[in-house]
Amino acid sequence: MIVPPGSTIGIIGGGQLGRMMALAAARLGYRCHIFDPHEAPCAAEVSAEFTRGAFDDEAALARFADACDVVTYEFENVPVGPIAALGDKLRPGTRSLEIAQDRAVEKRFLEGAGARVAAWREVGSVEQLDAAVAALGVPLVLKSRRLGYDGKGQAWVRDPAEARSAWDSIGNAPAVAEAGVAFEAEFSVLIARTHDGQTRAFPPPRNVHSDGILCHSTVPAGQPIEAMAETAIATAATLADALDHVGMFTVEFFACADGALVNEIAPRVHNSGHWTIEGAVTSQFEQHVRAICGLALGSADLVADGAVMDNLIGGDVDAWAAILAAPDASLHLYHKGEARPGRKMGHVTRLK
């Protein structure tokens, strides 16, 4: 199971998560090979090799895998069928993808594993939409079952009369309806799991979102999150075990008056863990490399009293010079081209 330094790690997806993963892998002596359909993905700039190919091109994926010693992925919206052919080289496996790609499947998995989730219903027709509103009441949120991220494919229903227009706004796509949750804060558990079931979790960060996009992550998270941390970490470990997951695994939670509710899972490194690059002994990216290569997991302890990570979204990146001039700021720019509204262009971390 050990993939030694000097080997090649294949990364499916060439975005900023793949970029930071490749940088962490290089520090440990690995070469990275990016597979992505775009002409110049930002992860390819810092990797040894790049193959341009469609995520559903099985022949191209097979050639890519032949050139790699282990293969992983940086995001979950890749077709399961084609990459299933990668077999044992793929870590994590496809089960984690299958669950995370479909919100209804994910909800059933979470409930089956004993996790607490908000009340929900499937919506695939007008009749099911009306039944969901009747059962859950308002407010509720409609989320497309597939391909939603950073608030995309979501619409709130605050009055029953808004339900059909809300569904129209997400293209009448198969969806889940979730009851609105009264929560005090949002947080995430980022946990690494090895092939033999060892786990190590980072201190949970408190997360703040705007328009569905993560803006800030802070550790320590403060109350009430810290009081829920032990149980939330245990829940994340249970979910990772149920998937036989290998690598980093992220669970997003709502901190509610009666305890933590699981919002969703991400079978990968995560934006809310970017602070670990400067703020923890081992970053989430290095931890993922360690796990998929069969190496010992590193320490997840803080290196300072705490850390704050701010995303640079859209035009926020224009402040790069001022951020660089600040003595307490660690700046990461992703070199993704045009700074469109809502696009994550970089992040900055400050230690406490």
Side-chain angles (χ1 to χ4, degrees), residues 135-278:
L136 302 175
V138 292
L140 63 79
V141 60
L142 287 174
K143 299 180 180 180
S144 59
R145 287 178 59 166
R146 290 182 173 271
L147 301 178
Y149 65 96
D150 285 349
K152 296 177 177 66
Q154 299 186 21
W156 278 94
V157 178
R158 304 187 187 281
D159 184 286
E162 300 172 349
R164 298 194 184 186
S165 61
W167 196 33
D168 288 343
S169 74
I170 61 171
N172 301 121
V176 296
E178 297 178 14
V181 174
F183 58 87
E184 298 179 53
E186 297 176 84
F187 69 101
S188 51
V189 170
L190 298 102
I191 189 167
R193 184 180 184 276
T194 62
H195 72 280
D196 58 356
Q198 297 182 52
T199 59
R200 189 155 297 165
F202 291 96
R206 177 186 293 258
N207 301 321
V208 177
H209 294 79
S210 177
D211 295 326
I213 302 174
L214 180 67
C215 295
H216 317 284
S217 291
T218 305
V219 287
Q223 298 300 344
I225 295 168
E226 290 183 46
M228 303 176 184
E230 183 176 353
T231 298
I233 290 170
T235 295
T238 296
L239 297 174
D241 285 341
L243 294 169
D244 198 22
H245 187 87
V246 177
M248 286 301 304
F249 184 74
T250 306
V251 185
E252 297 183 39
F253 289 89
F254 297 121
C256 303
D258 61 347
L261 289 181
V262 175
N263 178 25
E264 61 185 25
I265 62 173
R268 53 171 170 80
V269 292
H270 195 261
N271 194 175
S272 66
H274 290 356
W275 63 269
T276 62
I277 298 173
E278 287 82 25

Side-chain angles (χ1 to χ4, degrees), residues 4-239:
S7 301
T8 298
I9 299 172
I11 302 175
I12 299 174
Q16 68 265 22
L17 298 180
R19 181 185 179 99
M20 288 181 273
M21 195 186 303
L23 291 169
R27 195 172 70 80
L28 295 182
Y30 291 93
R31 303 171 75 253
C32 285
H33 186 162
I34 303 300
F35 187 96
D36 190 275
H38 298 94
E39 182 177 355
C42 67
E45 295 180 339
V46 298
S47 298
E49 295 182 67
F50 166 50
T51 292
R52 187 179 184 188
F55 291 135
D56 60 357
D57 187 336
E58 296 188 24
L61 282 166
R63 291 191 297 271
F64 162 72
D66 285 343
C68 302
D69 297 290
V70 64
V71 178
T72 190
Y73 44 83
E74 63 132 25
F75 75 120
E76 56 268 38
N77 289 324
V78 295
V80 170
I83 69 167
L86 304 183
D88 292 341
K89 278 193 176 181
L90 185 67
R91 303 175 194 170
T94 55
R95 177 159 167 74
S96 296
L97 281 179
E98 289 171 335
I99 298 298
Q101 285 182 352
D102 186 315
R103 283 193 168 98
V105 173
E106 179 185 61
K107 295 290 187 188
R108 287 192 287 268
F109 163 73
L110 291 170
E111 291 178 322
R116 299 177 67 235
V117 300
W120 68 284
R121 294 290 188 276
E122 288 187 49
V123 173
S125 66
V126 170
E127 291 75 20
Q128 286 185 324
L129 174 63
D130 292 341
V133 172
L136 302 175
V138 292
L140 63 79
V141 60
L142 287 174
K143 299 180 180 180
S144 59
R145 287 178 59 166
R146 290 182 173 271
L147 301 178
Y149 65 96
D150 285 349
K152 296 177 177 66
Q154 299 186 21
W156 278 94
V157 178
R158 304 187 187 281
D159 184 286
E162 300 172 349
R164 298 194 184 186
S165 61
W167 196 33
D168 288 343
S169 74
I170 61 171
N172 301 121
V176 296
E178 297 178 14
V181 174
F183 58 87
E184 298 179 53
E186 297 176 84
F187 69 101
S188 51
V189 170
L190 298 102
I191 189 167
R193 184 180 184 276
T194 62
H195 72 280
D196 58 356
Q198 297 182 52
T199 59
R200 189 155 297 165
F202 291 96
R206 177 186 293 258
N207 301 321
V208 177
H209 294 79
S210 177
D211 295 326
I213 302 174
L214 180 67
C215 295
H216 317 284
S217 291
T218 305
V219 287
Q223 298 300 344
I225 295 168
E226 290 183 46
M228 303 176 184
E230 183 176 353
T231 298
I233 290 170
T235 295
T238 296
L239 297 174

Side-chain angles (χ1 to χ4, degrees), residues 308-324:
V308 178
M309 187 282 299
D310 294 303
N311 269 331
L312 300 177
I313 301 169
D316 294 346
V317 74
D318 294 337
W320 62 267
I323 295 169
L324 278 177

